Amino acid sequence: MSTHTDTTTLDRVLASRARALTWLEAHVDERGAATYGTAAMAARGPLAFAYAGRYDLAGAQLEWLAGLPREELRFSPDGRYGSYPLLLLAQGAVQANRPDLGRALHADVVDWLAPCGMPWSRSADGCGETEIVPSAQAGITLLALGDVERARRVGDGLCAAWEAQPEPDERFFIVTDGDGALITDLPEGIDEDERRHRVVERDGERQHFFTGGIIAAFLVQLHWATGEARYLEVARATQDFAMGQPHQFSTLQVCKTAWGSAYLAVATREAVHRDWTLRMGDWFADGQAADGSWRDHHSPYGSDGEYSVTAEFLQHLTFVAWALGQRS
């Protein structure tokens, strides 16, 4: 439970958001290029600048990023989460009111959709193992692009994956096979890093704690777009799983639970989601460095991830402020 009132937390959130914007502005050159980290790490920048009302910087950074070879918009050489930076960039084009870039990026996004209906996140070819988190972001991006039909395909796949969970109170398997079936049998000798990419243990440490929140944020939007109640129910369920993880505040990966709770707070008016949104607003403000950034000391990307995480937290703070500004 937050120790602050709604008004106090909202004030802190808005001040934190302003500091984050100042830091991001200081790390963009005259071309719009990020001067901190890799191009893939900057892919969320246009979206963050647009949410903050800096459409000039959002547009400049979009043009810089969209003009790069697509292979530079990957997090890792093996293509894991390969579609994710591209999805963020496409959503940024919509938010920045650049339909020209949005159309071009939409075509690229569609190329990443596997024949089975979910985004193939490790390769652009064919249909194979699919990870839930980039799929949820694909759904969010497709809705932003107005592609409700494809977003529904993603949403149906995510709902099926949740409904197929054998022990939903204990763990959340997050990879499906080429036919869209949930993979619950893990390979022999799997290491801890690969295990974290395949299953989220509710009581585990250093898990992908962001999983439930991003799914909830997408499915609430899909519920609004289609009117289908089942999307809202699965959003509630995945957010409940996210909020019930006892070790999640040990890493910055808790961040997306704020995204899910903000959408659910507006959609349901339920106190549990508003209370979590308040808690997360204070958490963001408490963890911010004096210069306005956030630093993930556990990030596999090292200091390169600082620009990305600061841009992402500005985005989440925008939704926290939106939710807290609503009247019950």
Side-chain angles (χ1 to χ4, degrees):
M1 179 70 68
S2 172
T3 58
H4 295 85
T5 65
D6 288 26
T7 302
T8 301
T9 297
L10 179 56
D11 288 344
R12 298 187 77 212
V13 163
L14 293 173
S16 179
R17 184 171 170 267
R19 290 193 297 273
L21 176 60
T22 297
W23 188 90
L24 289 168
E25 289 169 337
H27 291 85
V28 176
D29 67 18
E30 65 279 359
R31 299 173 298 146
T35 59
Y36 202 112
T38 65
M41 292 291 105
R44 198 184 293 271
L47 188 58
F49 283 130
Y51 279 133
R54 286 302 309 270
Y55 296 105
D56 54 334
L57 291 178
Q61 196 160 81
L62 272 167
E63 291 182 359
W64 166 60
L65 287 165
L68 295 174
R70 290 293 177 258
E71 56 267 22
E72 292 192 32
L73 294 176
R74 295 189 179 187
F75 281 160
S76 59
D78 66 0
R80 184 186 294 280
Y81 281 16
S83 61
Y84 201 70
L86 178 64
L87 293 165
L88 295 172
L89 196 59
Q91 187 185 358
V94 175
Q95 195 67 34
N97 298 316
R98 289 295 304 270
D100 54 333
L101 292 174
R103 283 191 296 273
L105 289 163
H106 187 193
D108 287 345
V109 167
V110 170
D111 283 345
W112 276 92
L113 292 180
C116 61
M118 298 280 275
W120 167 234
S121 61
R122 297 183 185 177
S123 168
D125 299 320
C127 188
E129 288 188 357
T130 298
E131 298 179 65
I132 280 176
V133 169
S135 296
Q137 179 59 55
I140 292 169
T141 298
L142 289 164
L143 284 177
L145 290 163
D147 194 342
V148 178
E149 179 183 351
R150 288 191 176 92
R152 189 194 290 267
R153 284 167 53 195
V154 175
D156 290 345
L158 292 177
C159 287
W162 175 256
E163 290 158 0
Q165 297 296 322
E167 301 171 291
D169 292 334
E170 300 299 326
R171 56 191 51 84
F172 187 0
F173 291 94
I174 55 175
V175 177
T176 61
D177 66 17
D179 296 319
L182 189 69
I183 297 175
T184 58
D185 292 329
L186 303 185
E188 289 286 336
I190 188 172
D191 63 28
E192 281 304 308
D193 182 62
E194 180 61 20
R195 183 182 178 86
R196 281 192 290 268
H197 280 87
R198 291 181 171 272
V199 60
V200 182
E201 300 286 351
R202 191 191 75 87
D203 294 330
E205 299 181 14
R206 298 288 300 136
Q207 302 295 297
H208 285 190
F209 295 128
F210 45 75
T211 302
I214 190 173
I215 295 171
F218 164 49
L219 290 179
V220 170
Q221 294 175 72
L222 188 58
H223 163 68
W224 284 338
T226 65
E228 292 194 28
R230 67 193 179 101
Y231 297 133
L232 184 60
E233 292 311 307
V234 176
R236 278 195 177 100
T238 61
Q239 181 68 20
D240 284 348
F241 182 90
M243 294 188 300
Q245 297 167 146
H247 302 295
Q248 61 184 297
F249 286 98
S250 62
T251 80
L252 296 189
Q253 293 179 345
V254 66
C255 63
K256 288 183 176 65
T257 66
W259 203 4
S261 68
Y263 269 102
L264 280 164
V266 174
T268 70
R269 305 291 183 174
E270 293 169 356
V272 63
H273 301 303
R274 189 172 183 87
D275 288 346
W276 192 266
T277 306
L278 281 164
R279 179 177 182 178
M280 289 302 301
D282 289 327
W283 177 83
F284 283 117
D286 290 342
Q288 190 174 28
D291 65 2
S293 68
W294 286 268
R295 296 177 178 86
D296 185 355
H297 299 293
H298 299 294
S299 171
Y301 308 109
S303 61
D304 280 355
E306 189 171 341
Y307 188 95
S308 180
V309 74
T310 301
E312 177 170 7
F313 283 15
L314 186 154
Q315 173 187 340
H316 294 324
L317 286 165
T318 297
F319 286 105
V320 169
W322 164 68
L324 295 182
Q326 304 289 315
R327 293 292 179 261
S328 300

